[in-house]
Amino acid sequence: WGFALSGAWAEYVAVSCDIAGLKPSSATMEQAGAMPLVALTSLQAFTLAGAPWQSAPTVLVLGGSGGVGHIAIQVAKDLGAGKVITTTSAGNTDFVKSLGADEVIDYKAADWATALSPDSVDVVLDAVGEANCGDRALPLIRAGGNFITLVPGRAHLPTSSKAGVDQDFVLLSQAGASRLDILRGFADDGRLKVKIDSTFALSDIAAAVEHSQDGHVDGKISISMQPAS
């Protein structure tokens, strides 16, 4: 398994051995294909925030049932987070709790930025890209903490600063075999699982992209190299 920078919507893809690894024995081919991008992104983001942690920080994952978010909850716990808070809809509460979320905020019923107390979290991972997310998150973050967004553009970073709080945008750039092996260990230990929202045949790739863009995907979309039944 791995992450192909040139894309992987094909039966065969040539990649460097340096960015490929043995897939988890516990994962199907569809699961192994759907996991690396989001899992490597989560690992890179939390490593930037000091993981693996010994201090058991409180981590807020915005968008906990999405492709990155549901993996990030698990990776945060695997890397030593003491408490993981996440946002999702009420219908996904049990799902994100099953992944390790300790506190769940229904974003349709409450504003996470006011539901949490100032200086109550150490790391905020923005996997949603809400308007003014950085400015709204900054008061919640303790000194020594991190705000990390996965959404490009200055509009998602705070427009001000807070002493001791780092602000970063993460685009996956650390996709080596050693990192894949870390994630494989988590998966084979039963601590990292990907939820497949739906599976499309390669011939239906346009429909898969359309489904992805509708903004209501729980987990990941998988592309099967076999004809869909």
Side-chain angles (χ1 to χ4, degrees):
W1 68 334
F3 173 64
L5 294 174
S6 58
W9 293 346
E11 291 88 347
Y12 300 98
V13 178
V15 299
S16 168
C17 292
D18 295 338
I19 60 170
L22 293 174
K23 83 170 185 66
S25 60
S26 57
T28 66
M29 295 300 289
E30 287 77 12
Q31 291 168 338
M35 194 185 303
L37 172 60
V38 290
L40 287 165
T41 298
S42 299
L43 180 60
Q44 181 176 326
F46 291 138
T47 300
L48 189 64
W53 299 292
Q54 301 297 321
S55 57
T58 296
V59 177
L60 171 61
V61 176
L62 300 176
S65 60
V68 176
H70 87 288
I71 292 292
I73 292 170
Q74 300 171 77
V75 173
K77 281 297 186 76
D78 293 338
L79 293 174
K83 181 178 183 180
V84 174
I85 306 168
T86 194
T87 61
T88 190
S89 61
N92 284 316
T93 296
D94 290 343
F95 169 54
V96 295
K97 283 188 172 181
S98 74
L99 302 176
D102 301 286
E103 182 178 341
V104 181
I105 300 171
D106 176 3
Y107 71 89
K108 294 182 179 180
D111 179 4
W112 56 267
T114 56
L116 298 172
S117 301
D119 299 312
S120 62
V121 303
D122 300 288
V123 179
V124 174
L125 178 65
D126 168 32
V128 178
E130 297 177 7
N132 304 313
C133 180
D135 287 328
R136 299 172 67 222
L138 206 57
L140 308 179
I141 306 173
R142 299 185 182 107
N146 298 77
F147 173 80
I148 300 170
T149 183
L150 307 180
V151 184
R154 293 292 306 174
H156 301 289
L157 289 170
T159 56
S160 58
S161 61
K162 184 176 181 179
V165 175
D166 289 335
Q167 309 171 18
D168 295 283
F169 159 64
V170 166
L171 178 67
L172 179 60
S173 61
Q174 300 172 7
S178 62
R179 287 181 169 255
L180 289 165
D181 287 345
I182 292 171
L183 297 168
R184 175 165 58 91
F186 293 159
D188 283 341
D189 286 344
R191 296 184 288 152
L192 181 61
K193 300 177 181 179
V194 64
K195 178 182 179 181
I196 301 298
D197 172 273
S198 50
T199 300
F200 292 79
L202 182 60
S203 58
D204 293 329
I205 192 68
V209 172
E210 183 177 350
H211 181 49
S212 175
Q213 292 177 340
D214 73 10
H216 298 286
V217 175
D218 292 330
K220 291 290 290 179
I221 297 170
S222 175
I223 304 301
S224 174
M225 295 299 109
Q226 301 296 324
S229 58

